[in-house]
């Protein structure tokens, strides 16, 4: 009985590695033939990832068989010599339990490794599928949101043409909500710019009627205006709201470039007695030939804005940052003074970035409240942050 068990164990130990290698090769060939019969194999990383288990298991078994063969060669003391050694006894008489335990341990290592690798690959694939499904759901959610946003945008644009001021105001603030969502992280920046340009077009179009109202003033009202009393009409509340929404909800980095795209185009608009919040961001605004009489732009950020040919009579720009602001038309164009030395004296600009002013207007200070030609004991960083009379 022991001799029969020993012979069987010896035969299995000698033939088992070859059987493993042969089975792995046949399995791989069968998979390849089955794949080729369905459709041509496109060898790529994506195909390898999709068939990772089919590739890994045969490769693992083949490599395990090769490893066993290499170990047998290395363990043979007579390999590479003329000596003849007896064959390695995998199953030794008297040590059946220990040898079978070792063989089972080795087989479990080989097949367990194949199973563990296959399970790991399957888990990774399931994770990837879950991520793809999550991405698909997010894309569907964003698509649904964009559909709702497009519907809200269309309805709000229709309401901008309403005869009732309250409805127009509601539409403006609805568009502001859409704009903030569009410019948030992951939002549609192009859609946000379209909303901003729609509001700017609304201001330009609706200010035409305001210009007609202002032009109907009689001579007495004009005289009162020149005296600084500025009695009479104010800017329509919806126009003012639209201008405020543009300044606070359209981030400067996403506004159109002034030189190439014309900036936030409010040119030729009648913004008579416009009231902007303190420190409103009006950078990149195109206010060429705009009617800004009596407007209140105290401490507003007007850096780089275009204001040439704008009517600035009795406008308040105390503490406004007018660094690199253009108050004078380019060389060769017909221009007239649009701002006075008194107004500039109350504004501020960053050191080294003075506004572009008409020749008739002198720079009364350097932007830090001191005369333009007076050396300052403070460094340049202080000048950038502090305006005239300590206004920051």
């Amino acid at each position: 009985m022991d001799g029969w068990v020993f012979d069987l164990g010896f035969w299995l130990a000698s033939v088992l590695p070859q059987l493993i290698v042969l089975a792995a090769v046949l399995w791989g060939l069968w998979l390849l033939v089955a794949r080729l019969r369905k459709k041509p194999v496109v060898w790529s990383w994506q195909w390898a990832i999709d068939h990772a288990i089919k590739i890994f298991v045969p490769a693992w078994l083949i490599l395990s068989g090769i490893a066993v063969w290499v170990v047998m060669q290395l363990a043979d003391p007579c390999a590479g010599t003329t000596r003849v050694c007896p064959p390695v006894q995998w199953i030794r008489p008297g040590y059946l339990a220990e040898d079978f335990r070792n063989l089972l341990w080795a087989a479990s290592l080989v097949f367990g490794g194949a199973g563990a690798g296959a399970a790991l690959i399957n888990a990774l694939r399931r994770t990837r599928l879950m991520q793809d499904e999550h991405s698909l759901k997010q894309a569907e959610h964003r698509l649904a949101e964009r559909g709702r946003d497009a519907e809200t945008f269309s309805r709000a644009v229709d309401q901008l043409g309403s005869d009732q001021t309250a409805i127009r105001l509601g539409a403006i603030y609805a568009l502001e909500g859409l704009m903030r969502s569009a410019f948030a992280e992951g939002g549609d920046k192009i859609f946000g710019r379209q909303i901003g340009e729609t509001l700017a077009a609304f201001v330009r179009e609706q200010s035409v009627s305001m210009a007609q109202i202002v032009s109907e003033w009689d001579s007495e009202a004009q005289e009162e205006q020149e005296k600084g009393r500025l009695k009479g009409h104010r800017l329509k509340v919806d126009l003012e709201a639209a201008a405020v929404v543009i300044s606070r909800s359209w981030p400067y980095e996403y506004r159109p470039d002034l030189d190439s795209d014309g900036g936030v185009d409010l040119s030729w608009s009648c913004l008579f007695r416009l009231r902007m919040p303190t420190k409103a961001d009006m950078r990149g605004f195109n206010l060429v030939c705009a009617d800004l009489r009596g407007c209140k732009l105290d401490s507003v950020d007007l850096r780089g804005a275009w204001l040439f040919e704008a009517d600035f009579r009795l406008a308040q720009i105390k503490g406004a940052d007018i660094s690199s602001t253009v108050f004078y038309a380019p060389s060769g164009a017909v221009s007239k003074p649009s701002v006075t030395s008194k107004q500039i004296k109350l504004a501020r600009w960053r050191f080294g970035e003075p506004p572009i002013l008409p020749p008739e207007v002198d720079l009364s200070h350097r932007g830090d409240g001191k005369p333009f030609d007076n050396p300052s004991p403070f460094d340049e960083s202080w000048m950038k942050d502090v305006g005239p009379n300590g206004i920051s």
Side-chain angles (χ1 to χ4, degrees), residues 9-23:
F10 179 78
W11 182 82
L12 290 175
S14 301
V15 178
L16 183 60
Q18 288 81 358
L19 289 178
I20 293 175
V21 173
L22 179 61

Side-chain angles (χ1 to χ4, degrees), residues 11-41:
W11 182 82
L12 290 175
S14 301
V15 178
L16 183 60
Q18 288 81 358
L19 289 178
I20 293 175
V21 173
L22 179 61
V25 171
L26 292 177
W27 188 12
L29 291 175
W30 177 79
L31 292 175
L32 179 61
V33 171
R35 177 70 179 179
L36 291 174
R37 290 181 61 185
K38 293 181 180 179
K39 58 181 179 180
V41 177

Side-chain angles (χ1 to χ4, degrees), residues 327-339:
F327 289 93
Y328 187 60
S331 178
V334 178
S335 181
K336 61 182 179 180
S338 60
V339 66

Side-chain angles (χ1 to χ4, degrees), residues 239-262:
L239 293 184
E240 188 168 272
V244 171
V245 164
I246 292 173
S247 68
R248 73 185 178 195
S249 298
W250 193 347
Y252 172 68
E253 57 270 21
Y254 297 114
R255 293 176 186 174
D257 182 70
L258 267 171
D259 294 323
S260 59
D261 299 325

Side-chain angles (χ1 to χ4, degrees), residues 143-204:
L143 184 61
E145 279 189 342
R146 289 182 180 179
R148 291 193 296 269
D149 290 345
E151 183 179 356
T152 303
F153 176 76
S154 178
R155 186 167 57 250
V157 170
D158 289 339
Q159 292 174 348
L160 286 177
S162 174
D163 295 333
Q164 301 181 32
T165 303
I167 294 179
R168 294 198 301 272
L169 280 174
I172 290 169
Y173 293 128
L175 291 175
E176 181 182 19
L178 292 178
M179 184 187 297
R180 288 179 178 269
S181 300
F183 286 123
E185 184 177 358
D188 187 353
K189 307 301 187 294
I190 297 177
F191 182 53
R193 175 169 172 169
Q194 292 171 347
I195 297 173
E197 291 176 346
T198 299
L199 289 173
F202 170 77
V203 173
R204 293 195 308 270

Side-chain angles (χ1 to χ4, degrees), residues 35 56 120 123 154 211 219 224 230 240 302 338 357 361 370:
R35 177 70 179 179
F56 171 78
L120 177 61
S154 178
S219 59
E224 290 179 351
L230 271 177
E240 188 168 272
L302 285 167
S338 60
L357 297 170
V361 179
K370 294 184 177 294

